[in-house]
Amino acid sequence: MDLDFSPEDLAFRDEVRTFIAENYPKELRGKQDEGDELSKEDFLSWHKVLHKKGWVAPAWPVEYGGTGWTVTQRFIWSEETARADCIRLMPFGLTMVGPVIYTFGTPEQKAKFLPRILSGEDWWCQGYSEPGAGSDLANLRTRAVREGDHYVINGQKTWTTMAQHADWGFFLCRTDPDAKAQEGISFILVDMKTPGIEVRPIITLGGEHEVNEVFLDNVRVPVENRVFEENKGWTCAKFLLAHERVGIAGVAASKRGIERIREIAATELDGEKSLLANPFFRRKVAELEMDLTALEFTELRTLAGEAAGKGPGPESSVLKIKGSEIQQRLTELTLEMAGHYGAPYFRGFGEGDNEHPIGPGGWANRAAPSYFNTRKTTIYGGSNEIQRNIIAKMVLGL
């Protein structure tokens, strides 16, 4: 595996850096620097800039609106957006349901949904987890009963991220209650404005309204909104989760996170010396860097396989496990740096507030919310315990 960039790749990297520097929304950067909560419009502002440039979906095939970049160029793109502290685009349309639609969808579904995902006109949410079916997703109970040319859906989903803003959702529903668990599930696209849908907020430990409960009461959905065959939705679900787990690894963002920790620890004092001069703290940073470097090589092997025409395999579970654990350790170190300033965190009092965040550098007041929020990374996308079972079965043959 050649890890050196070609002259063409270096030129591409320079192009990306220049584009970000000149086009990243200034208002969005200001809100990030202040630690303000980002709105749907904030996320869409960067999305629309990238869509106009034609760079919003690097991994999509060219015929559906992708960039045609090589795997190396996509790696450079992720590195540079993390380096520039760009916000992460919402993945539910671009990296989850979009690939499912262009892989398994009908020509009509592709024509209807893919352009609106690219443009940001449709904001998506994911209806997978249920109160009794999280890690054991195949145990889901939301029912979709066919009545003529419609499905009537009843059930409840939970931990539905950004459902309060969603125009559409992709839902796993049981369409054959008598079949084996994975064999009786269908993958259905649902207009979130359909009568019978209720979205209730769940406020996280960090104080954010990020996730929701979604209740479906006799929701009528056209059969034409089902992707792939009836009762074969588990095929779509597994395909989507494999791609999601690769994205969850977040290697580029974690590399930037370690850089930030080093920058802060080099200036924050621990007695008379910098925190980074503390050998115990420095060892934690070094151990984290070593683990992240090993994870990066695993990601590069995955990308090399993708360049050779292979899709994400069981190694996506390794990326998910280690990537999510590293993200948690990053927030733990950040909270450790914040010390007692991490306790009285707040999100601000709203527009026009002239109060300043508590603690140094504008980062300490965000340390605790980030720490609490990141407890979820080892759970979503298939809990790490389930991922270890997948590795044991698919890799080790146990």
Side-chain angles (χ1 to χ4, degrees), residues 169-187:
F170 50 97
F171 287 76
L172 291 182
C173 304
R174 187 161 301 286
T175 43
D176 185 352
D178 299 321
K180 289 178 17 178
Q182 289 91 341
E183 295 299 320
I185 292 171
S186 295
F187 191 101

Side-chain angles (χ1 to χ4, degrees), residues 262 281-291:
R262 282 192 168 278
F281 186 84
R282 192 167 64 245
R283 176 175 177 172
K284 292 178 183 179
V285 176
E287 289 175 342
L288 190 54
E289 283 183 307
M290 288 188 291
D291 285 350

Side-chain angles (χ1 to χ4, degrees), residues 15-323:
E15 180 187 1
V16 168
R17 286 184 180 178
T18 301
F19 175 79
I20 294 173
E22 294 177 353
N23 293 278
Y24 195 75
K26 292 182 173 58
E27 298 81 4
L28 179 56
R29 178 73 70 200
K31 294 187 75 170
Q32 288 177 263
D33 291 342
E34 292 298 320
D36 295 338
E37 188 170 351
L38 301 182
S39 65
K40 178 179 180 178
E41 290 69 28
D42 292 325
F43 285 101
L44 287 176
S45 65
W46 180 224
H47 184 121
K48 290 176 179 178
V49 168
L50 294 177
H51 176 249
K52 184 177 179 181
K53 179 69 172 176
W55 286 3
V56 77
W60 285 28
V62 173
E63 61 265 35
Y64 299 122
T67 58
W69 290 346
T70 65
V71 169
T72 302
Q73 288 175 316
R74 283 159 46 194
F75 175 77
I76 290 171
W77 172 251
S78 66
E79 290 277 303
E80 292 302 315
T81 51
R83 174 180 172 273
D85 291 324
C86 299
I87 61 167
R88 182 190 180 201
L89 298 181
M90 284 292 107
F92 305 105
L94 291 170
T95 60
M96 294 187 186
V97 75
V100 168
I101 292 172
Y102 67 62
T103 301
F104 298 99
T106 64
E108 293 77 14
Q109 289 170 341
K110 296 173 186 178
K112 177 178 180 179
F113 293 110
L114 295 181
R116 296 176 65 88
I117 292 173
L118 289 173
S119 67
E121 291 176 79
D122 287 341
W123 180 289
W124 287 78
C125 65
Q126 178 185 31
Y128 271 30
S129 294
E130 299 183 5
S135 297
D136 184 16
L137 183 59
N139 195 39
L140 64 89
R141 297 184 179 182
T142 294
R143 287 287 311 277
V145 178
R146 186 160 181 171
E147 293 185 0
D149 57 358
H150 282 75
Y151 287 110
V152 179
I153 303 177
N154 286 277
Q156 178 187 353
K157 299 293 182 177
T158 193
W159 311 124
T160 313
T161 303
M162 296 297 177
Q164 72 269 32
H165 300 311
D167 303 295
W168 283 82
F170 50 97
F171 287 76
L172 291 182
C173 304
R174 187 161 301 286
T175 43
D176 185 352
D178 299 321
K180 289 178 17 178
Q182 289 91 341
E183 295 299 320
I185 292 171
S186 295
F187 191 101
I188 302 175
L189 311 179
V190 180
D191 185 337
M192 294 296 287
K193 297 182 293 295
T194 307
I197 296 178
E198 180 184 2
V199 177
R200 298 180 189 174
I202 299 174
I203 305 304
T204 66
L205 284 171
E208 305 97 344
H209 176 196
E210 181 183 26
V211 292
N212 305 269
E213 294 178 291
V214 177
F215 295 86
L216 303 104
D217 182 13
N218 291 320
V219 175
R220 295 182 63 83
V221 179
V223 170
E224 65 190 31
N225 285 9
R226 187 194 70 234
V227 179
F228 201 46
E229 302 173 27
E230 186 173 84
N231 300 325
K232 299 297 182 182
W234 195 250
T235 300
C236 300
K238 289 191 298 181
F239 174 87
L240 185 149
L241 284 169
H243 284 75
E244 180 184 0
R245 287 162 188 158
V246 173
I248 288 172
V251 173
S254 291
K255 287 173 67 175
R256 175 57 183 147
I258 288 180
E259 288 178 8
R260 285 283 295 149
I261 286 176
R262 282 192 168 278
E263 291 167 1
I264 293 169
T267 57
E268 294 298 323
L269 293 179
D270 178 30
E272 296 181 354
K273 297 182 179 180
S274 72
L275 182 57
L276 198 58
N278 182 313
F280 297 102
F281 186 84
R282 192 167 64 245
R283 176 175 177 172
K284 292 178 183 179
V285 176
E287 289 175 342
L288 190 54
E289 283 183 307
M290 288 188 291
D291 285 350
L292 183 56
T293 299
L295 181 66
E296 183 177 17
F297 276 95
T298 301
E299 181 183 55
L300 290 171
R301 284 194 295 270
T302 302
L303 293 175
E306 189 175 339
K310 301 176 183 177
E315 68 273 13
S316 65
S317 293
V318 177
L319 290 169
K320 197 276 176 178
I321 291 170
K322 296 303 297 182

